Amino acid sequence: MRDFPAPTAATWSYAETFVPEDDVLAAARARAEEVGATAIGSGVGAALRFVAAALDARAVVEVGTGAGVSGLWLLRGMHADGVLTTVDIEAEHQRLARESFAEAGFRTQRVRTISGAALDVLPRLTDGHYDLVFCDAEKAEYSSYLDEALRLLRPGGVVAFDNALWHDRVADPAQRDEQTVAIRDLGRAVLDHDDLMPVMLPLGDGLLVAKKL
Ligand SMILES: C[S@@+](CC[C@H](N)C(=O)[O-])C[C@H]1O[C@@H](n2cnc3c(N)ncnc32)[C@H](O)[C@@H]1O
């Protein structure tokens, strides 16, 4: 392994905010803070927008709507007629997200919000139909989200997991709490899967991305 110095706080902040947020994203972030639905940062957001645009994504699943910050980034990268299907267990979070999407000017037909527990809702979605699945809900369920994503994605589609470095805990073997262990297990499952091409992006709290071959 090549020995790089860890980035300084200034370098990290420069990279995180390289693509800035606009007022619509800032308003969505404020709504997220009101209800404690921790939103992705602009580094992860820009990466998601990029992946959605590179795929020219027409069908995206998001697990963990929150107040719509990540949804806004995804919609901005997707094909102009693409539909975001977004799942959250909290109906109130989805109400705030719909406000965010409306404020950004997205037609209501572009977003399908489904209220419910991810592992109840995902099995009802269509096999092989989706270009991108973004997971940001219950960390202990990440390996199950991976199983669902592999079924939902078309060949060539991409799955992405936020918090893949989980507050610097995943890389520290002394940390054995349930969420850290679950995210570590997810990383191993992605690496070991013959049909996935992974990359770990150290943006925000870590974004694990993998293409289904
Ligand atoms: C970190 S927030 C999502 C933030 C959002 N992705 C963003 O960046 O704007 C996690 C969300 O997952 C939802 N959630 C937690 N457990 C869930 C579950 N089992 N099924 C579906 N949603 C869940 C929470 O209600 C919360 O809104």
Side-chain angles (χ1 to χ4, degrees):
M1 190 178 73
R2 212 178 125 192
D3 198 12
F4 287 104
T8 61
T11 293
W12 191 85
S13 166
Y14 174 81
E16 267 306 295
T17 57
F18 183 75
V19 179
E21 283 186 355
D22 62 9
D23 291 347
V24 174
L25 277 162
R29 180 174 301 287
R31 288 184 193 101
E33 280 165 14
E34 274 170 31
V35 292
T38 311
I40 58 164
S42 52
V44 168
L48 291 176
R49 183 181 65 167
F50 174 85
V51 172
L55 291 166
D56 196 23
R58 289 169 184 267
V60 174
V61 175
E62 176 181 58
V63 189
T65 314
V69 173
S70 49
L72 287 170
W73 284 105
L74 289 164
L75 284 161
R76 287 174 174 182
M78 291 169 66
H79 188 277
D81 292 328
V83 174
L84 173 69
T85 298
T86 182
V87 181
D88 203 293
I89 203 163
E90 295 287 345
E92 172 63 7
H93 294 184
Q94 293 197 312
R95 189 187 66 74
L96 295 174
R98 279 192 292 270
E99 272 182 33
S100 302
F101 302 146
E103 196 171 305
F106 289 111
R107 288 174 286 118
T108 52
Q109 299 93 311
R110 292 215 43 210
V111 184
R112 179 166 65 141
T113 50
I114 305 180
S115 175
L119 294 181
D120 292 337
V121 174
L122 295 176
R124 306 205 305 258
L125 304 182
T126 309
D127 291 12
H129 175 69
Y130 295 93
D131 303 298
L132 173 61
V133 176
F134 170 58
C135 304
D136 187 20
E138 174 53 56
K139 310 308 160 194
E141 296 180 352
Y142 266 18
S143 290
S144 301
Y145 299 166
L146 175 63
D147 293 340
E148 293 297 330
L150 287 167
R151 183 181 60 72
L152 294 171
L153 287 172
R154 64 164 173 82
V158 168
V159 61
F161 292 87
D162 192 37
N163 307 108
L165 299 172
W166 194 237
H167 313 330
D168 291 328
R169 299 175 77 85
V170 170
D172 176 358
Q175 306 299 330
R176 302 288 311 157
D177 61 280
E178 186 191 7
Q179 291 166 316
T180 302
V181 170
I183 295 171
R184 223 178 263 139
D185 288 347
L186 168 82
R188 250 189 311 271
V190 168
L191 274 180
D192 288 349
H193 203 293
D194 289 340
D195 294 334
L196 286 174
M197 183 186 286
V199 59
M200 176 66 80
L201 301 175
L203 296 163
D205 197 26
L207 185 69
L208 175 58
V209 182
K211 175 172 174 163
K212 179 179 166 181
L213 302 175

mmCIF file of all heavy atoms in Angstrom, residues 160-183:
data_model
loop_
_atom_site.group_PDB
_atom_site.id
_atom_site.type_symbol
_atom_site.label_atom_id
_atom_site.label_comp_id
_atom_site.label_asym_id
_atom_site.label_seq_id
_atom_site.Cartn_x
_atom_site.Cartn_y
_atom_site.Cartn_z
ATOM 1 N N ALA A 160 -25.352 1.705 -3.763
ATOM 2 C CA ALA A 160 -24.512 2.598 -2.956
ATOM 3 C C ALA A 160 -25.016 2.605 -1.519
ATOM 4 O O ALA A 160 -26.227 2.602 -1.283
ATOM 5 C CB ALA A 160 -24.543 4.014 -3.532
ATOM 6 N N PHE A 161 -24.078 2.611 -0.580
ATOM 7 C CA PHE A 161 -24.402 2.623 0.856
ATOM 8 C C PHE A 161 -23.734 3.815 1.517
ATOM 9 O O PHE A 161 -22.498 3.954 1.440
ATOM 10 C CB PHE A 161 -23.882 1.349 1.545
ATOM 11 C CG PHE A 161 -24.602 0.107 1.127
ATOM 12 C CD1 PHE A 161 -24.191 -0.600 0.000
ATOM 13 C CD2 PHE A 161 -25.701 -0.356 1.843
ATOM 14 C CE1 PHE A 161 -24.859 -1.753 -0.400
ATOM 15 C CE2 PHE A 161 -26.372 -1.501 1.450
ATOM 16 C CZ PHE A 161 -25.951 -2.203 0.321
ATOM 17 N N ASP A 162 -24.545 4.641 2.201
ATOM 18 C CA ASP A 162 -23.962 5.735 2.970
ATOM 19 C C ASP A 162 -23.484 5.210 4.332
ATOM 20 O O ASP A 162 -23.874 4.120 4.763
ATOM 21 C CB ASP A 162 -24.983 6.861 3.163
ATOM 22 C CG ASP A 162 -24.325 8.119 3.707
ATOM 23 O OD1 ASP A 162 -23.184 8.418 3.313
ATOM 24 O OD2 ASP A 162 -24.944 8.808 4.542
ATOM 25 N N ASN A 163 -22.638 5.972 4.992
ATOM 26 C CA ASN A 163 -22.096 5.641 6.324
ATOM 27 C C ASN A 163 -21.253 4.376 6.306
ATOM 28 O O ASN A 163 -21.170 3.667 7.315
ATOM 29 C CB ASN A 163 -23.220 5.485 7.364
ATOM 30 C CG ASN A 163 -24.144 6.683 7.412
ATOM 31 O OD1 ASN A 163 -25.281 6.610 6.970
ATOM 32 N ND2 ASN A 163 -23.667 7.790 7.928
ATOM 33 N N ALA A 164 -20.598 4.105 5.190
ATOM 34 C CA ALA A 164 -19.821 2.876 5.060
ATOM 35 C C ALA A 164 -18.566 2.888 5.937
ATOM 36 O O ALA A 164 -17.945 1.841 6.139
ATOM 37 C CB ALA A 164 -19.446 2.650 3.594
ATOM 38 N N LEU A 165 -18.195 4.062 6.463
ATOM 39 C CA LEU A 165 -17.053 4.137 7.394
ATOM 40 C C LEU A 165 -17.529 4.416 8.825
ATOM 41 O O LEU A 165 -16.728 4.395 9.761
ATOM 42 C CB LEU A 165 -16.060 5.220 6.937
ATOM 43 C CG LEU A 165 -15.444 4.971 5.554
ATOM 44 C CD1 LEU A 165 -14.625 6.176 5.089
ATOM 45 C CD2 LEU A 165 -14.569 3.721 5.565
ATOM 46 N N TRP A 166 -18.818 4.677 8.976
ATOM 47 C CA TRP A 166 -19.548 4.809 10.254
ATOM 48 C C TRP A 166 -18.732 5.444 11.371
ATOM 49 O O TRP A 166 -18.238 4.774 12.267
ATOM 50 C CB TRP A 166 -20.108 3.440 10.657
ATOM 51 C CG TRP A 166 -21.141 3.469 11.741
ATOM 52 C CD1 TRP A 166 -21.084 2.797 12.933
ATOM 53 C CD2 TRP A 166 -22.393 4.179 11.754
ATOM 54 N NE1 TRP A 166 -22.214 3.050 13.669
ATOM 55 C CE2 TRP A 166 -23.051 3.906 12.966
ATOM 56 C CE3 TRP A 166 -23.039 5.047 10.852
ATOM 57 C CZ2 TRP A 166 -24.293 4.438 13.310
ATOM 58 C CZ3 TRP A 166 -24.277 5.573 11.182
ATOM 59 C CH2 TRP A 166 -24.881 5.263 12.397
ATOM 60 N N HIS A 167 -18.604 6.763 11.300
ATOM 61 C CA HIS A 167 -17.982 7.557 12.371
ATOM 62 C C HIS A 167 -16.591 7.027 12.757
ATOM 63 O O HIS A 167 -16.267 6.946 13.957
ATOM 64 C CB HIS A 167 -18.881 7.575 13.610
ATOM 65 C CG HIS A 167 -20.328 7.876 13.311
ATOM 66 N ND1 HIS A 167 -20.729 8.666 12.257
ATOM 67 C CD2 HIS A 167 -21.479 7.489 13.915
ATOM 68 C CE1 HIS A 167 -22.045 8.760 12.244
ATOM 69 N NE2 HIS A 167 -22.525 8.031 13.218
ATOM 70 N N ASP A 168 -15.808 6.627 11.777
ATOM 71 C CA ASP A 168 -14.437 6.108 11.994
ATOM 72 C C ASP A 168 -14.413 4.798 12.782
ATOM 73 O O ASP A 168 -13.346 4.371 13.231
ATOM 74 C CB ASP A 168 -13.544 7.150 12.714
ATOM 75 C CG ASP A 168 -13.228 8.339 11.836
ATOM 76 O OD1 ASP A 168 -13.120 8.157 10.602
ATOM 77 O OD2 ASP A 168 -13.090 9.455 12.373
ATOM 78 N N ARG A 169 -15.538 4.136 12.929
ATOM 79 C CA ARG A 169 -15.583 2.926 13.753
ATOM 80 C C ARG A 169 -15.307 1.664 12.931
ATOM 81 O O ARG A 169 -14.751 0.687 13.449
ATOM 82 C CB ARG A 169 -16.951 2.802 14.444
ATOM 83 C CG ARG A 169 -17.243 3.960 15.375
ATOM 84 C CD ARG A 169 -18.654 3.881 15.947
ATOM 85 N NE ARG A 169 -18.759 2.904 17.004
ATOM 86 C CZ ARG A 169 -18.468 3.123 18.279
ATOM 87 N NH1 ARG A 169 -18.045 4.314 18.657
ATOM 88 N NH2 ARG A 169 -18.591 2.172 19.175
ATOM 89 N N VAL A 170 -15.709 1.689 11.638
ATOM 90 C CA VAL A 170 -15.595 0.467 10.834
ATOM 91 C C VAL A 170 -14.134 0.025 10.710
ATOM 92 O O VAL A 170 -13.825 -1.172 10.780
ATOM 93 C CB VAL A 170 -16.248 0.691 9.444
ATOM 94 C CG1 VAL A 170 -15.946 -0.468 8.498
ATOM 95 C CG2 VAL A 170 -17.761 0.861 9.607
ATOM 96 N N ALA A 171 -13.230 0.987 10.576
ATOM 97 C CA ALA A 171 -11.811 0.660 10.378
ATOM 98 C C ALA A 171 -11.105 0.296 11.677
ATOM 99 O O ALA A 171 -9.942 -0.125 11.657
ATOM 100 C CB ALA A 171 -11.109 1.853 9.719
ATOM 101 N N ASP A 172 -11.797 0.450 12.797
ATOM 102 C CA ASP A 172 -11.175 0.198 14.108
ATOM 103 C C ASP A 172 -11.679 -1.148 14.645
ATOM 104 O O ASP A 172 -12.816 -1.248 15.101
ATOM 105 C CB ASP A 172 -11.551 1.348 15.055
ATOM 106 C CG ASP A 172 -11.035 1.125 16.469
ATOM 107 O OD1 ASP A 172 -10.421 0.066 16.738
ATOM 108 O OD2 ASP A 172 -11.255 2.016 17.308
ATOM 109 N N PRO A 173 -10.835 -2.197 14.616
ATOM 110 C CA PRO A 173 -11.302 -3.537 15.005
ATOM 111 C C PRO A 173 -11.781 -3.616 16.454
ATOM 112 O O PRO A 173 -12.496 -4.555 16.816
ATOM 113 C CB PRO A 173 -10.085 -4.433 14.774
ATOM 114 C CG PRO A 173 -8.947 -3.555 14.443
ATOM 115 C CD PRO A 173 -9.441 -2.160 14.209
ATOM 116 N N ALA A 174 -11.413 -2.637 17.288
ATOM 117 C CA ALA A 174 -11.858 -2.665 18.688
ATOM 118 C C ALA A 174 -13.351 -2.328 18.807
ATOM 119 O O ALA A 174 -13.962 -2.593 19.842
ATOM 120 C CB ALA A 174 -11.032 -1.680 19.509
ATOM 121 N N GLN A 175 -13.929 -1.734 17.783
ATOM 122 C CA GLN A 175 -15.345 -1.330 17.835
ATOM 123 C C GLN A 175 -16.217 -2.518 17.427
ATOM 124 O O GLN A 175 -16.103 -2.994 16.292
ATOM 125 C CB GLN A 175 -15.607 -0.131 16.912
ATOM 126 C CG GLN A 175 -14.698 1.048 17.161
ATOM 127 C CD GLN A 175 -14.833 1.607 18.569
ATOM 128 O OE1 GLN A 175 -15.896 1.548 19.194
ATOM 129 N NE2 GLN A 175 -13.737 2.132 19.090
ATOM 130 N N ARG A 176 -17.076 -2.987 18.337
ATOM 131 C CA ARG A 176 -17.844 -4.211 18.088
ATOM 132 C C ARG A 176 -19.353 -4.004 18.260
ATOM 133 O O ARG A 176 -20.083 -4.968 18.464
ATOM 134 C CB ARG A 176 -17.396 -5.321 19.063
ATOM 135 C CG ARG A 176 -15.917 -5.695 19.021
ATOM 136 C CD ARG A 176 -15.498 -6.468 17.803
ATOM 137 N NE ARG A 176 -16.367 -7.597 17.517
ATOM 138 C CZ ARG A 176 -16.511 -8.169 16.333
ATOM 139 N NH1 ARG A 176 -15.844 -7.701 15.293
ATOM 140 N NH2 ARG A 176 -17.305 -9.201 16.163
ATOM 141 N N ASP A 177 -19.811 -2.749 18.231
ATOM 142 C CA ASP A 177 -21.252 -2.511 18.385
ATOM 143 C C ASP A 177 -21.998 -3.033 17.147
ATOM 144 O O ASP A 177 -21.399 -3.253 16.090
ATOM 145 C CB ASP A 177 -21.541 -1.019 18.594
ATOM 146 C CG ASP A 177 -21.076 -0.196 17.409
ATOM 147 O OD1 ASP A 177 -19.854 0.090 17.332
ATOM 148 O OD2 ASP A 177 -21.881 0.096 16.528
ATOM 149 N N GLU A 178 -23.308 -3.217 17.290
ATOM 150 C CA GLU A 178 -24.112 -3.893 16.271
ATOM 151 C C GLU A 178 -24.024 -3.224 14.896
ATOM 152 O O GLU A 178 -23.855 -3.883 13.862
ATOM 153 C CB GLU A 178 -25.579 -3.935 16.727
ATOM 154 C CG GLU A 178 -26.470 -4.745 15.797
ATOM 155 C CD GLU A 178 -27.961 -4.571 16.082
ATOM 156 O OE1 GLU A 178 -28.324 -3.715 16.912
ATOM 157 O OE2 GLU A 178 -28.752 -5.286 15.446
ATOM 158 N N GLN A 179 -24.130 -1.886 14.896
ATOM 159 C CA GLN A 179 -24.150 -1.192 13.603
ATOM 160 C C GLN A 179 -22.793 -1.276 12.912
ATOM 161 O O GLN A 179 -22.711 -1.538 11.711
ATOM 162 C CB GLN A 179 -24.573 0.262 13.805
ATOM 163 C CG GLN A 179 -26.042 0.349 14.201
ATOM 164 C CD GLN A 179 -26.407 1.704 14.724
ATOM 165 O OE1 GLN A 179 -25.666 2.294 15.519
ATOM 166 N NE2 GLN A 179 -27.558 2.198 14.322
ATOM 167 N N THR A 180 -21.719 -1.088 13.699
ATOM 168 C CA THR A 180 -20.373 -1.161 13.120
ATOM 169 C C THR A 180 -20.117 -2.550 12.538
ATOM 170 O O THR A 180 -19.612 -2.686 11.417
ATOM 171 C CB THR A 180 -19.307 -0.838 14.207
ATOM 172 O OG1 THR A 180 -19.583 0.451 14.726
ATOM 173 C CG2 THR A 180 -17.903 -0.880 13.651
ATOM 174 N N VAL A 181 -20.457 -3.575 13.304
ATOM 175 C CA VAL A 181 -20.248 -4.949 12.831
ATOM 176 C C VAL A 181 -21.066 -5.200 11.557
ATOM 177 O O VAL A 181 -20.578 -5.807 10.596
ATOM 178 C CB VAL A 181 -20.606 -5.962 13.947
ATOM 179 C CG1 VAL A 181 -20.641 -7.386 13.413
ATOM 180 C CG2 VAL A 181 -19.598 -5.846 15.093
ATOM 181 N N ALA A 182 -22.308 -4.693 11.540
ATOM 182 C CA ALA A 182 -23.164 -4.901 10.369
ATOM 183 C C ALA A 182 -22.572 -4.233 9.132
ATOM 184 O O ALA A 182 -22.589 -4.801 8.034
ATOM 185 C CB ALA A 182 -24.564 -4.359 10.647
ATOM 186 N N ILE A 183 -22.022 -3.043 9.293
ATOM 187 C CA ILE A 183 -21.457 -2.330 8.138
ATOM 188 C C ILE A 183 -20.164 -3.012 7.691
ATOM 189 O O ILE A 183 -19.891 -3.135 6.491
ATOM 190 C CB ILE A 183 -21.238 -0.836 8.479
ATOM 191 C CG1 ILE A 183 -22.597 -0.178 8.725
ATOM 192 C CG2 ILE A 183 -20.509 -0.128 7.348
ATOM 193 C CD1 ILE A 183 -22.522 1.241 9.276
#
